[in-house]
Amino acid sequence: MRAGVFLRWVAHPLTVGATAVLLLNDHVFKQAWPGLVTGKLSDVAGLVVAPAVLGLLFGLFRAGRIGAAAATLLTGAGFAWVKLTTAGAGVASAAWSVVNGPSVVLADPSDLVALPALGIAWWAWLRVAAAPPLPDGPAHRLRVMVAVPFAVLGITATSAPSATLPSVDAVKVVGEQVMIEADGRFYSSRSGVGDWTPLPETPPEQVPERRPQLEACVPDDAAHCYRVHGGGDLDPSETTPRGGRLLGVDETTDAGQTWQTAWEVPAARWPFVKRQHPFPGGVDRLSKVASVDVLVRTVPGGHEVIVANGVEGLAIRSGDGAWRRVPVVVTATGLDIRPAPLTGFGQVIGDDIIDAGLITLLAVLIGMSVATGRARARLGHGLTVLMPLVLLLVAAVPITGAVVFFTASAGTSTGPGLVLALCLTGTAICLTLAQGVLRRSRAAVVSAAAVLTGLAFLGPVFGWTVGHPAERGPAVELGLILATGCLFLVVAAGWWAGRDPVRR
């Protein structure tokens, strides 16, 4: 079976149409007409697109009909596992968080009504498998180059965050119970760590106004107090307010004469944490990623400190003095607030990946310019080798605009940035290999050197995501230095590629 049939499956009108429905429904229709129909429409469209995208992996091994059937069955089985089990929903949440920022996927058996959509995907496969091969012309190549990235984009660029982002805004003690206010509701727990019980909803007009408690003292030691870093007056115009130390707690044992940091998210990791909380419409509400309320209570063996950290959940100091970040998860109401990890390989660097794609594109243009110049000198007449790349630059405008539109609320999520970078880079390489003046093998070497240049820039950035280096600035600077060094390799590859042009 032809491996190219899987590409045609992705480019089939049904798959392309389902991708358009998925993107529009997630980013337009759900916000305009929320309800049952738009809620299930994404599941239906996603089940039409996903088997074709998954089939591309089987196409690498020329798996044919068996591969298409496996892709369809795996899509259905995975969808059912996610919607029927808590473990499946947890795995899906973790996977989507890597490519699309912090995401929560909830198990919902009612979504299984969308499973018959797999039949539409299988019918599309049967149509492309039975059809005669299409000529490998520019129209077919363009169709595939456009369809594949946007099918991947449709799956990765899921719904935008809701208008209100769940956060823990207040914490207090009522009797022996710890009470928190989260997402407009109140929850109580005896331990203050888990087993949260939702309290009856109170009309907003009956909720007493309470100012956050920025400082609290140990009940039996008035000189021993704690205060939060966040809260109070925050200046959103500052790039890193208070040095980025919004998530933290100070401690004093001499009635406030001296303070020292008891716990905090390190300032060097603040940008990584903040990037994992994109807000609707790009609004940067720093007060939601900050320690805003604190309480201290006596417990056996000492005292306990509980801090409300907004979208980061809670920070708790136990009686033995150990600090930890604690999620707030209430299955009954669907509340799920988790602290962002301080490290995570490849997460929230979508803007850097786009920069790497642009660097790769620039390197291709430089390498092909050198190759063209030398080939022109050898052939003794003008060449139009760069014309396909000029067309690429023109085509990049609508491609970039569409990706930006559908991922405007994704912040710096890795997935959408990767889709755009692969789309631009892949198109540039395809157009480079399709020209008929330089030998294809030599043009491939120029393309490989350009890709290496983009990867050289990304290397230190990937290191930053795992904490080495701890700060992003030095990582970006090192990446630029490495990419600049690789440009010399690109120029050398272009000079070599133009040495032996194809004579017509």
Side-chain angles (χ1 to χ4, degrees):
M1 179 64 68
R2 308 177 306 275
V5 74
F6 288 94
L7 291 173
R8 292 172 54 198
W9 189 11
V10 177
H12 189 275
L14 269 176
T15 309
V16 174
T19 302
V21 170
L22 181 61
L23 287 169
L24 290 173
N25 189 64
D26 276 348
H27 297 272
V28 179
F29 299 156
K30 281 185 177 180
Q31 284 71 42
W33 304 290
L36 178 64
V37 175
T38 54
K40 305 302 180 187
L41 187 58
S42 290
D43 294 327
V44 173
L47 288 175
V48 176
V49 178
V53 175
L54 184 59
L56 292 174
L57 298 178
F58 294 97
L60 297 176
F61 305 98
R62 300 180 180 271
R65 183 181 293 267
I66 295 177
T72 305
L73 292 176
L74 282 176
T75 299
F79 183 77
W81 181 52
V82 169
K83 295 302 179 180
L84 291 176
T85 66
T86 303
V91 172
S93 298
W96 251 249
S97 295
V98 171
V99 299
N100 206 42
S103 304
V104 177
V105 179
L106 300 177
D108 185 358
S110 67
D111 289 342
L112 295 182
V113 299
L115 278 176
L118 291 173
I120 301 176
W122 182 250
W123 184 83
W125 158 260
L126 294 178
R127 296 285 294 176
V128 299
L134 293 176
D136 189 20
H140 174 62
R141 292 181 185 177
L142 180 62
R143 177 180 162 190
V144 170
M145 286 188 296
V146 171
V148 172
F150 281 96
V152 178
L153 174 66
I155 295 176
T156 56
T158 53
S159 298
S162 60
T164 58
L165 203 64
S167 61
V168 181
D169 301 317
V171 56
K172 60 181 179 179
V173 175
V174 179
E176 295 184 353
Q177 297 285 322
V178 176
M179 183 182 297
I180 62 171
E181 181 182 358
D183 199 23
R185 291 196 61 175
F186 293 93
Y187 300 84
S188 67
S189 167
R190 187 177 183 86
S191 66
V193 177
D195 302 325
W196 295 101
T197 302
L199 301 178
E201 293 191 62
T202 305
E205 62 274 9
Q206 298 181 16
V207 177
E209 185 177 356
R210 173 181 177 272
R211 295 183 61 84
Q213 184 172 246
L214 305 181
E215 184 177 327
C217 299
V218 179
D220 55 357
D221 187 357
H224 192 177
C225 304
Y226 296 85
R227 69 181 182 188
V228 295
H229 284 182
D233 296 325
L234 296 176
D235 185 358
S237 64
E238 293 184 59
T239 304
T240 55
R242 300 183 185 175
R245 292 179 170 85
L246 295 181
L247 290 165
V249 181
D250 292 331
E251 179 182 11
T252 181
T253 56
D254 53 13
Q257 295 184 29
T258 58
W259 292 88
Q260 61 273 350
T261 300
W263 166 84
E264 71 173 356
V265 169
R269 304 309 296 170
W270 160 254
F272 188 77
V273 170
K274 180 172 168 288
R275 280 167 167 252
Q276 296 177 70
H277 296 292
F279 292 107
V283 177
D284 194 7
R285 292 180 290 184
L286 295 173
S287 60
K288 290 288 187 179
V289 195
S291 302
V292 295
D293 201 1
V294 60
L295 74 81
V296 183
R297 66 172 182 169
T298 302
V299 296
H303 63 275
E304 182 180 58
V305 183
I306 304 179
V307 183
N309 278 345
V311 295
E312 283 281 299
L314 297 172
I316 295 180
R317 177 198 183 276
S318 56
D320 60 3
W323 284 88
R324 53 180 171 149
R325 301 159 77 197
V326 178
V328 177
V329 180
V330 185
T331 305
T333 61
L335 182 68
D336 195 309
I337 304 174
R338 301 178 184 272
L342 299 182
T343 60
F345 181 75
Q347 294 188 23
V348 293
I349 55 172
D351 54 342
D352 295 311
I353 290 181
I354 293 176
D355 290 342
L358 295 175
I359 289 173
T360 302
L361 183 59
L362 176 62
V364 169
L365 291 171
I366 292 174
M368 292 302 295
S369 296
V370 174
T372 300
R374 192 173 188 196
R376 181 186 296 113
R378 285 186 169 272
L379 293 178
H381 58 76
L383 299 175
T384 58
V385 177
L386 289 182
M387 185 57 65
L389 296 180
V390 173
L391 295 177
L392 166 66
L393 294 177
V394 175
V397 175
I399 291 174
T400 305
V403 173
V404 170
F405 174 78
F406 288 115
T407 61
S409 58
T412 53
S413 300
T414 298
L418 181 61
V419 171
L420 177 57
L422 290 178
C423 180
L424 295 178
T425 302
T427 305
I429 292 175
C430 289
L431 292 175
T432 298
L433 297 178
Q435 53 76 38
V437 178
L438 299 180
R439 298 187 183 279
R440 181 170 295 186
S441 59
R442 293 176 181 263
V445 172
V446 177
S447 299
V451 171
L452 180 62
T453 303
L455 293 177
F457 170 77
L458 274 183
V461 178
F462 275 109
W464 171 70
T465 63
V466 295
H468 304 287
E471 296 185 0
R472 183 171 179 272
V476 174
E477 292 172 1
L478 178 58
L480 290 174
I481 293 174
L482 294 177
T484 302
C486 287
L487 284 178
F488 292 99
L489 179 63
V490 172
V491 171
W495 184 260
W496 172 79
R499 185 182 64 181
D500 186 19
V502 176
R503 299 180 180 274
R504 296 184 182 279

